[in-house]
Amino acid sequence: MSEVNSHNGFFSVVKRECKILTSRPLYLFTALIFPLFALFFMTTIFGNGMIDSIPVGIVDEDNSQMSRDIERLCSAVPEISVIHKFSNTAEARDALLSKEIYGYLIIPHDFQKDVKANRNTSLTLCYQYAFLSVGSEVMQGFLNALRIIAVTPLQQTTDFLGISDETLETIASPISITAHPLYNPALNYTSYITFPYFWVLFQILILLNIAYSFGNDFKDKKKIRECLKTANYNLTNVVFGKLFPYIIIFSCIAIFANVLMFNIMELNLSYDLFSIIIICILFILATCSVSLFLFSIYPNLPIIISFISMFGSLGATFAGVTFPVNAMYSIFEKFSYIFPIRHFVVLTDYLRYESHAFLYCWKSLLMLISFNVLIIFSILLLRRKINSNEKYHQHNIR
């Protein structure tokens, strides 16, 4: 009989929570609409996934045929786009500081004369490196264009001596570098940023939704009494009944997100789709457990919402997407283990790129599963808080 009441209490809480979700637009927006908007945003923000046509400028102090050839070569490189030709460096510097351009090339006076006379001369490249990805692309674009100019003085000599162009290329670049970028040969930003960044944002939404849902019921005695009565005064029914609708919603979003990214957008995936969906659901369960545990420690809604927001933001840093965690100080590397997003990123990276390397990530899988133990501690902490109120001593809170 008690088991039947327990089941009835669980489903009663689920029904109550679904009614709250559908009756309050804010709940539905934060739990469903905003995550879907975040998914749309993250899958479209990077465009075609490539950084190209970055605006740059040229300071041409020589005004020679060779300087015009350099300008045409730079315009032909896909990484950069020459949008301005400056008469002096002061104008170029102002354009760089105002973010109108992200780099400029200075061609000095008598550059063509010095090249033809085999005198030492140089081209000066200035570029914005506050943004590492943009700065590296600008530098690479200019270097690709100028590599042809670098062999011009040698070409005149080799033509006279009858040396072939292939031999000239060997003399100019004795070491030939052939690059084969693993897993992302097109160097597409969407391939390696869209997936983890969506989940970094999604984990913040999960943390906030769960904390707000419990905080709204535990913020006053009347709502606690109503919730416990619905659950037949079984706190376990309250916890799992309130979590259940959110887990279903978040899991459906996870399935849709993975199908969109890996089947429709065709992002790289070395393993099967079902496995990565399972990992995503485990991550959702772990994040819900962490949010509930943090709330149960200090169930004050305004304070815990602020703390959970900070926790989620730190998780974005310790996920290791933009900066490798093992390059941080050792204390911060160890600190990263308390964030589910860290283990999730490690697991999904292996599933996306190295499906045969499970031996290297099984610890992250165990850690992700172990976060669910926090639900037990959460129930104990919440029960202690409820039983500390004398009005509930008349009931046996299970």
Side-chain angles (χ1 to χ4, degrees):
M1 186 67 180
S2 60
E3 185 177 351
V4 173
N5 290 334
S6 178
H7 289 164
N8 290 337
F10 169 77
F11 289 113
S12 297
V13 175
V14 172
K15 183 178 179 180
R16 176 179 178 271
E17 195 66 27
C18 290
K19 185 177 179 181
I20 293 174
L21 274 169
T22 54
S23 62
R24 298 185 181 181
L26 177 62
Y27 278 73
L28 194 61
F29 177 80
T30 57
L32 180 62
I33 306 301
F34 194 76
L36 290 175
F37 170 77
L39 177 61
F40 172 79
F41 180 76
M42 292 307 304
T43 53
T44 57
I45 187 175
F46 298 109
N48 62 359
M50 304 292 290
I51 298 181
D52 53 15
S53 301
I54 302 172
V56 298
I58 289 181
V59 181
D60 189 358
E61 298 176 347
D62 192 37
N63 289 315
S64 62
Q65 180 61 43
M66 186 170 288
S67 67
R68 288 187 287 272
D69 290 341
I70 292 174
E71 181 181 347
R72 283 193 294 270
L73 285 171
C74 292
S75 299
V77 175
E79 292 92 344
I80 57 179
S81 175
V82 180
I83 63 170
H84 282 295
K85 187 176 179 180
F86 303 99
S87 58
N88 57 71
T89 56
E91 293 178 1
R93 185 174 181 274
D94 290 340
L96 183 66
L97 293 175
S98 63
K99 303 295 191 299
E100 185 179 349
I101 60 175
Y102 288 91
Y104 59 90
L105 180 70
I106 302 174
I107 305 174
H109 290 289
D110 299 326
F111 176 74
Q112 180 173 290
K113 291 180 181 179
D114 291 338
V115 170
K116 290 186 175 181
N118 287 328
R119 290 192 294 264
N120 287 334
T121 185
S122 61
L123 296 171
T124 303
L125 173 60
C126 302
Y127 53 94
Q128 173 66 268
Y129 220 0
F131 309 103
L132 295 179
S133 57
V134 175
S136 61
E137 289 291 330
V138 169
M139 179 186 68
Q140 189 61 44
F142 273 120
L143 292 179
N144 288 339
L146 297 176
R147 190 173 289 115
I148 301 173
I149 300 296
V151 300
T152 299
L154 289 174
Q155 192 168 17
Q156 297 175 356
T157 304
T158 54
D159 287 344
F160 177 77
L161 296 175
I163 299 175
S164 64
D165 292 340
E166 291 78 7
T167 306
L168 171 61
E169 186 176 349
T170 303
I171 295 172
S173 302
I175 300 176
S176 179
I177 299 175
T178 303
H180 299 281
L182 297 176
Y183 316 121
N184 187 14
L187 300 181
N188 190 313
Y189 277 74
T190 303
S191 179
Y192 71 90
I193 288 184
T194 295
F195 180 83
Y197 266 41
F198 165 70
W199 286 96
V200 164
L201 180 57
F202 195 27
Q203 60 109 16
I204 297 177
L205 297 177
I206 295 173
L207 290 167
L208 292 175
N209 271 283
I210 299 303
Y212 188 83
S213 173
F214 280 86
N216 191 54
D217 272 337
F218 281 76
K219 66 182 179 181
D220 58 56
K221 300 173 183 178
K222 182 179 179 181
K223 286 194 173 184
I224 296 176
R225 187 185 305 115
E226 177 189 340
C227 194
L228 285 170
K229 185 178 180 181
T230 305
N232 295 326
Y233 294 96
N234 189 322
L235 189 58
T236 303
N237 286 340
V238 173
V239 170
F240 287 100
K242 289 181 69 65
L243 287 176
F244 186 76
Y246 290 98
I247 292 172
I248 295 299
I249 292 173
F250 295 148
S251 298
C252 290
I253 294 173
I255 294 171
F256 174 70
N258 283 288
V259 171
L260 174 63
M261 293 183 190
F262 298 114
N263 280 7
I264 299 177
M265 295 179 62
E266 297 182 346
L267 300 185
N268 186 78
L269 180 62
S270 296
Y271 219 69
D272 60 278
L273 185 64
F274 178 76
S275 297
I276 203 165
I277 288 175
I278 294 298
I279 296 299
C280 292
I281 293 175
L282 288 176
F283 169 71
I284 290 170
L285 294 173
T287 307
C288 290
S289 301
V290 170
S291 180
L292 178 61
F293 177 72
L294 293 175
F295 171 78
S296 64
I297 293 175
Y298 191 74
N300 182 291
L301 187 58
I303 294 176
I304 204 63
I305 287 293
S306 300
F307 181 79
I308 282 178
S309 299
M310 181 185 69
F311 182 87
S313 300
L314 286 175
T317 302
F318 288 111
V321 179
T322 55
F323 190 84
V325 176
N326 56 9
M328 300 179 183
Y329 289 116
S330 59
I331 186 173
F332 295 115
E333 183 181 1
K334 293 179 175 62
F335 185 63
S336 69
Y337 291 122
I338 70 171
F339 296 92
I341 187 67
R342 168 60 185 154
H343 307 288
F344 173 78
V345 168
V346 171
L347 284 166
T348 53
D349 277 353
Y350 279 119
L351 289 177
R352 292 166 63 204
Y353 304 126
E354 291 276 3
S355 60
H356 61 280
F358 182 75
L359 290 175
Y360 300 103
C361 66
W362 64 270
K363 292 181 181 178
S364 293
L365 179 60
L366 290 180
M367 286 293 297
L368 202 60
I369 296 173
S370 65
F371 278 107
N372 293 290
V373 177
L374 294 175
I375 291 183
I376 299 174
F377 295 101
S378 302
I379 293 174
L380 295 175
L381 290 170
L382 290 174
R383 181 178 293 142
R384 181 179 179 182
K385 178 185 181 300
I386 293 173
N387 287 331
S388 64
N389 191 323
E390 293 183 0
K391 289 190 176 182
Y392 298 102
H393 284 176
Q394 56 184 315
H395 299 287
N396 182 22
I397 307 300
R398 303 186 300 278

